[in-house]
Amino acid sequence: MAILEVKNVGKRFGGLQALSDVNLSVAENSVHAIIGPNGAGKSTLLNCLVGKLIPDTGSVMFDGQSVLGRKPYEINQMGISRVFQTPEIFGDLTVMENMLIPCLAKRDGAFQLNGWSRVVGQQDMIDKAEEMLRDMHMIDKRHMHAAAMSRGDKRRLEIAMCLAQDPRLLLLDEPTAGMARADTNNTIDLLKQIKDERDITIAIIEHDMHVVFSLAERITVLAQGTPLVEDTPDRIKGHPKVREAYLGESQDAA
Ligand SMILES: Nc1ncnc2c1ncn2[C@@H]1O[C@H](COP(=O)(O)OP(=O)(O)OP(=O)(O)O)[C@@H](O)[C@H]1O
Ligand SMILES: [Mg+2]
């Protein structure tokens, strides 16, 4: 059964048709990768799923309900959490303080600026944040300023912040971009662990094919704002159109 259904989505920026006729169906409890060259429209599509952008045409259904017209925090409360391409953590707050933000949002909906005073003394939220940090093997870093962490740790913190909201659908936009190979491999293991231990669906945008082929059960290839092909990893690897459009190889190149 599909937990996410995208139908005929189009999005234009001025003279640029960034997405056109995008159809995407993500099966519940699967890992679905979206790949494609720079500028293919991957992040734009993700932004349309989380209320950051409103598509010009089409529909986006999550678990049978439309996400269109809802505010990002409402979509979040429906069960969709996302890690954006540009890290969205607060560098001058500690790891623990960053973790408390989604815990608050999960409980209270839209995050209120006067929210901090309400965290004090609320042991349940502190427990929840600590549990997540333990799961992510980051508990020892809870008092560290987020800005001082490595790129891999910042990404892990973002994933932990998403998981604190108990999402049913986790959207990841290039979670391993700029990471050293060891950090990338740790992230792959972490995502496998999350998948095994939770009732969760993961949609991941990624350029690193090692990550894609280690995790994905289905792959959609976007090119110039339109899905070129959707298939299993094995079939995608050998697909001539994919090799030509994305991997930079012509059909005759072996
Ligand atoms: N807010 C915006 N205003 C105008 N143009 C935009 C905007 N956001 C994206 N674009 C353009 O839309 C196209 C698709 O961009 P998008 O960021 O979705 O690509 P992408 O597939 O995520 O690329 P990358 O792999 O480099 O992250 C690009 O040509 C980009 O310049
Ligand atoms: Mg992008």
Side-chain angles (χ1 to χ4, degrees):
M1 203 194 95
I3 192 164
L4 181 73
E5 286 274 13
V6 175
K7 289 212 173 114
N8 304 110
V9 160
K11 181 72 192 172
R12 174 177 279 275
F13 297 117
L16 175 81
Q17 190 70 42
L19 296 175
S20 50
D21 264 339
V22 175
N23 290 289
L24 176 73
S25 179
V26 176
E28 190 159 13
N29 290 320
S30 69
V31 179
H32 195 121
I34 299 163
I35 66 171
N38 294 118
K42 305 178 296 295
S43 297
T44 301
L45 175 59
L46 189 139
N47 287 339
C48 289
L49 306 181
V50 297
K52 217 175 168 180
L53 285 174
I54 301 169
D56 304 325
T57 58
S59 62
V60 178
M61 304 291 284
F62 171 69
D63 200 22
Q65 284 187 291
S66 175
V67 305
L68 300 186
R70 293 179 198 257
K71 297 200 164 55
Y73 79 85
E74 293 171 331
I75 294 172
N76 210 228
Q77 288 202 313
M78 287 169 81
I80 302 181
S81 285
R82 86 291 173 269
V83 171
F84 282 117
Q85 192 163 351
T86 310
E88 294 205 347
I89 53 177
F90 296 93
D92 51 351
L93 299 184
T94 65
V95 167
M96 186 64 183
E97 286 166 341
N98 270 281
M99 279 303 302
L100 287 168
I101 294 169
C103 293
L104 253 181
K106 165 85 181 170
R107 200 192 56 182
D108 297 348
F111 183 63
Q112 313 276 316
L113 277 178
N114 65 353
W116 288 112
S117 58
R118 286 181 289 131
V119 182
V120 177
Q122 305 218 13
Q123 196 57 41
D124 54 333
M125 281 201 279
I126 293 168
D127 290 348
K128 172 94 181 169
E130 284 188 348
E131 180 196 326
M132 286 300 133
L133 290 175
R134 228 169 259 118
D135 281 1
M136 296 292 122
H137 315 292
M138 294 187 80
I139 191 72
D140 295 347
K141 298 183 177 163
R142 63 188 178 283
H143 300 306
M144 203 169 160
H145 275 98
M149 291 195 303
S150 70
R151 190 169 174 98
D153 278 347
K154 281 181 187 152
R155 278 303 196 192
R156 278 225 301 268
L157 172 58
E158 285 187 293
I159 294 172
M161 287 167 72
C162 284
L163 293 177
Q165 296 172 316
D166 299 317
R168 294 180 58 208
L169 175 63
L170 178 63
L171 303 170
L172 303 165
D173 196 346
E174 300 197 36
T176 68
M179 275 187 196
R181 180 52 78 194
D183 260 344
T184 298
N185 287 336
N186 286 339
T187 305
I188 292 172
D189 290 344
L190 183 67
L191 292 173
K192 281 184 177 161
Q193 180 195 327
I194 290 167
K195 184 68 199 355
D196 287 348
E197 291 174 358
R198 289 167 177 259
D199 184 17
I200 199 165
T201 307
I202 299 177
I204 179 169
I205 292 173
E206 203 28 275
H207 281 289
D208 184 335
M209 290 303 118
H210 170 59
V211 178
V212 171
F213 292 125
S214 301
L215 291 168
E217 290 147 69
R218 297 288 295 178
I219 299 176
T220 296
V221 185
L222 267 192
Q224 294 174 339
T226 305
L228 191 67
V229 55
E230 193 213 300
D231 217 325
T232 59
D234 279 349
R235 284 205 286 264
I236 289 286
K237 267 183 210 168
H239 202 292
K241 270 201 211 163
V242 176
R243 295 168 71 105
E244 194 176 350
Y246 183 42
L247 303 177
E249 298 171 20
S250 78
Q251 296 194 26
D252 323 316

